Amino acid sequence: MQQIVRTIAIAYNNLPRPHRIMLGSLSVITLAVAVWRPVVYPPADDTPVTVKEAPISTAPTPNQTVMSPQTIAPEASEPMDSESIEQPTPPVAIPADELGTTGSDDSSVHEYVVSTGDTLSSILTQYGIDMVDVTLLADKHDDLRNLKIGQQLSWAVNDDGELQSLTWQMSRRETRIYERGDNGFKERVEMQKGEWHNRVINGRLSGSFVQSAKAAGLTDSEVSAVIKALQWQLDFRKLRKDDNFSVLLSREILDGRSEQSELIGVRLNTGDKDYFAIRAADGKFYDREGSGLTRGFMRFPTMKQFRVSSNFNPRRLNPVTGRVTPHRGVDFSMPVGTPVLSVGDGEVVAASRGPDTGNFVEIRHGRQYTTRYMHLNRLLVKPGQKVKRGDRIALSGNTGRSTGPHLHYEFWINQQAVNPLTAKLPRSEGLAGQDRREYLAQVREVTPQLKFD
Ligand SMILES: [Zn+2]
C-alpha cells in the first residue's frame, strides 16, 4: 500500500507543473481509488487472502524504475534486451463465435461505461493513455469533469498510443465528440432527433447464439450487448438447439431507419432455467433481485502482496536500443513455489509452456476479462477447468525468459492489456436503497414483456 502511495508521490513530483495542477484537480478520486482498492474489494470470507495485512516492503521501491530509465531492468523480471516476452499474443480466450462479425473488435477503439469513482483521467490512464493527452483534452473542455454514472465513453488511439478522439455519450439525445487537431482537441456536439421505440425480439437457437440472434433481427452491436449483459450467468458456447431468448430493446428511428439502440432487458431459457439481465439506471445489468452479476476480483494473484519489480508500461523504452518493448503486465518478485491464485471466477483456457513465457496459465472471466500468469514453476490446473476466485492455479517460478524468481501477471479487458494495479475491477455489489427500489419497479415493468413465442 505504501509503495503505491510512494509511486504516486514520485510520479507526481516528477511531473511538469501544469500536469500537477491537472492531477490535483482531476484525480483526487483516482488516488483514493488506486490506494484503497485492495481494501475496497476484499476477498470473500472463504479465501484466506489478507491483502490488508500485506507486509510493507522496506526494499528500495522498484516502482521508481518507471521514472528512471537507468534502472529499468530490475533483478527479478524479464530481460530488457529481448523483444517483449508478451509479444503480440492477445488472449486466446474469446471464442470467435461470441464476437460475431461486429466491427467493434478494432483494438484501437475502446468503450467504457462510467461508474462510481471514475474521473476522465482515472479511466484513460488505466488504459495507458498519457497524462499529457488527458490534460490537453480536459484543460480546454471543463465539462468533461462532470462525467455521470452510466454514460458511455469511447476513444481511439493511434499506433503510438496517443489519444486521437473521444466520444462522450451524455444522454440518448446528446453526444459530444472531441477530435485532436493542431491546437488541441476540438469539440463537436451531435443531437439526436429520432424517436425512441421499444421493441421485443424473440428467437430460438439454431446454430450459434450469434447466428440465431441475427436471424431474429438483432444487429451486431445488439448481439454484443446481450452477450455482455448475460456473460456472468451463462456460457454462450454451451447453449443448445431450441433454447429460447427474448430481448427488449429501445431503438431510435430516424427517417425510417434504426440509428442506434439500447438493450433494456434480456431473458434466455436453457435447460429449464431462466436467466434474466435487466438494465439499471447506472447502465449496468443486474438479475431480477438487483444483485450484481459478477463476483468481485482480487487485486493481487497471491495471498499477500509482493514487491513490484517491474511495472506495467505499454510503451516501455529500452534505454539501450531505444526501441519500445511493451511490458503488458506487472512483475512481482517472489520466492519460487509461492502459491499463485486465480483473481476471479473463471475458466482456464490455457495451461501450457512457452520458450519466453515459461509455464503459464490463462484464465477467462466472463466475456470481457482475461488474466495471465507467467514464469510459473508448477501448474495446478488444466485447460477447460473451472476455477473460483482464490483457487490455487500454480506455484510461482523462474521459467522461460526470466532474470530471477518472479510472477508476471497480466489483466486484459476487452482484448486490451491494462495496468493490473489500477484497473477498474468488476464489482460484486448489487443495488441498495432507492436505487434498488427504482430498479425493482423497472423489473416489474420489463419482465412480463420478455415472453417467448
Ligand atoms: Zn513481466
Side-chain angles (χ1 to χ4, degrees):
M1 185 81 62
Q2 236 171 44
Q3 277 187 22
I4 299 172
V5 177
R6 255 157 90 186
T7 314
I8 291 165
I10 291 160
Y12 185 83
N13 289 329
N14 283 347
L15 282 171
R17 202 175 120 76
H19 298 178
R20 271 190 269 174
I21 293 166
M22 169 79 188
L23 267 170
S25 62
L26 261 192
S27 56
V28 172
I29 299 168
T30 315
L31 295 183
V33 169
V35 170
W36 287 109
R37 180 131 317 137
V39 182
V40 174
Y41 300 98
D45 297 334
D46 55 350
T47 55
V49 183
T50 52
V51 173
K52 273 188 231 181
E53 291 151 32
I56 305 299
S57 168
T58 50
T61 168
N63 299 318
Q64 285 172 355
T65 53
V66 164
M67 309 313 298
S68 53
Q70 294 86 347
T71 57
I72 208 161
E75 74 288 7
S77 183
E78 296 87 33
M80 269 296 287
D81 61 343
S82 64
E83 291 294 312
S84 164
I85 62 144
E86 308 85 25
Q87 263 315 311
T89 46
V92 297
I94 298 172
D97 179 45
E98 290 195 12
L99 288 168
T101 53
T102 55
S104 60
D105 303 343
D106 183 354
S107 62
S108 64
V109 176
H110 308 289
E111 289 178 9
Y112 191 90
V113 177
V114 178
S115 64
T116 322
D118 283 340
T119 63
L120 185 68
S121 65
S122 75
I123 295 167
L124 295 180
T125 54
Q126 110 183 8
Y127 281 86
I129 290 174
D130 204 287
M131 201 59 205
V132 175
D133 282 356
V134 180
T135 309
L136 188 67
L137 173 63
D139 270 1
K140 234 170 135 182
H141 305 288
D142 278 359
D143 283 356
L144 282 165
R145 286 160 204 243
N146 304 318
L147 298 182
K148 297 220 165 54
I149 292 168
Q151 289 176 335
Q152 284 186 31
L153 290 177
S154 61
W155 61 90
V157 297
N158 64 12
D159 289 344
D160 296 327
E162 291 166 340
L163 185 65
Q164 296 303 299
S165 67
L166 177 100
T167 302
W168 177 21
Q169 201 183 324
M170 299 181 72
S171 65
R172 280 176 170 188
R173 301 229 157 265
E174 183 170 355
T175 303
R176 296 194 182 176
I177 297 149
Y178 303 85
E179 271 159 350
R180 189 191 277 265
D182 295 337
N183 304 309
F185 286 87
K186 265 210 166 132
E187 184 185 66
R188 187 154 57 82
V189 180
E190 280 184 5
M191 302 298 288
Q192 306 295 335
K193 293 171 209 76
E195 284 194 30
W196 289 85
H197 296 281
N198 283 2
R199 165 125 195 248
V200 177
I201 293 177
N202 294 331
R204 199 178 279 262
L205 245 79
S206 154
S208 75
F209 175 76
V210 173
Q211 289 163 352
S212 316
K214 282 190 190 172
L218 292 168
T219 65
D220 285 343
S221 62
E222 288 166 351
V223 172
S224 295
V226 167
I227 290 172
K228 218 164 135 183
L230 283 170
Q231 63 173 321
W232 300 103
Q233 300 189 72
L234 54 92
D235 185 340
F236 280 81
R237 294 168 299 176
K238 307 226 163 104
L239 295 181
R240 279 166 286 186
K241 191 173 176 339
D242 291 332
D243 283 347
N244 282 299
F245 58 88
S246 179
V247 178
L248 176 60
L249 297 155
S250 182
R251 282 176 168 170
E252 185 196 34
I253 309 296
L254 193 62
D255 299 330
R257 279 190 322 150
S258 175
E259 287 291 312
Q260 52 174 334
S261 74
E262 191 174 89
L263 176 65
I264 298 175
V266 55
R267 172 186 176 195
L268 206 151
N269 182 283
T270 177
D272 293 329
K273 260 192 100 173
D274 260 333
Y275 296 91
F276 285 86
I278 291 158
R279 180 191 287 268
D282 63 5
K284 292 194 198 136
F285 288 83
Y286 297 86
D287 64 15
R288 279 180 296 173
E289 280 73 50
S291 309
L293 298 178
T294 64
R295 274 183 79 198
F297 278 42
M298 304 191 307
R299 175 62 68 189
F300 301 99
T302 44
M303 304 253 265
K304 61 173 194 172
Q305 188 181 335
F306 288 95
R307 192 165 69 79
V308 173
S309 56
S310 181
N311 255 303
F312 172 80
N313 187 351
R315 287 181 299 284
R316 180 171 63 168
L317 262 194
N318 184 322
V320 181
T321 64
R323 287 167 69 182
V324 175
T325 49
H327 191 230
R328 295 193 175 85
V330 70
D331 293 338
F332 296 103
S333 176
M334 65 182 67
V336 169
T338 305
V340 176
L341 317 175
S342 173
V343 294
D345 294 357
E347 182 179 336
V348 178
V349 289
S352 173
R353 178 182 189 92
D356 294 334
T357 59
N359 294 325
F360 71 96
V361 172
E362 178 170 324
I363 299 175
R364 171 187 138 104
H365 313 271
R367 152 91 162 68
Q368 290 160 283
Y369 300 89
T370 300
T371 54
R372 305 211 282 185
Y373 314 77
M374 299 177 187
H375 310 300
L376 304 166
N377 182 27
R378 195 147 72 83
L379 305 181
L380 305 174
V381 290
K382 293 197 169 63
Q385 188 176 330
K386 290 265 199 296
V387 290
K388 292 272 174 215
R389 177 179 62 188
D391 280 357
R392 288 178 178 215
I393 54 172
L395 299 178
S396 76
N398 186 20
T399 58
R401 282 190 71 85
S402 171
T403 58
H406 80 285
L407 172 70
H408 172 97
Y409 169 55
E410 295 179 9
F411 194 90
W412 292 66
I413 305 178
N414 292 333
Q415 311 257 51
Q416 159 119 12
V418 300
N419 186 346
L421 299 180
T422 58
K424 186 103 181 169
L425 299 178
R427 307 177 64 123
S428 58
E429 294 100 84
L431 295 165
Q434 182 62 18
D435 290 342
R436 184 159 185 270
R437 280 191 292 278
E438 282 170 17
Y439 177 77
L440 294 177
Q442 168 83 344
V443 168
R444 281 192 294 276
E445 200 178 307
V446 169
T447 312
Q449 300 181 59
L450 297 171
K451 281 186 302 217
F452 301 130
D453 291 328

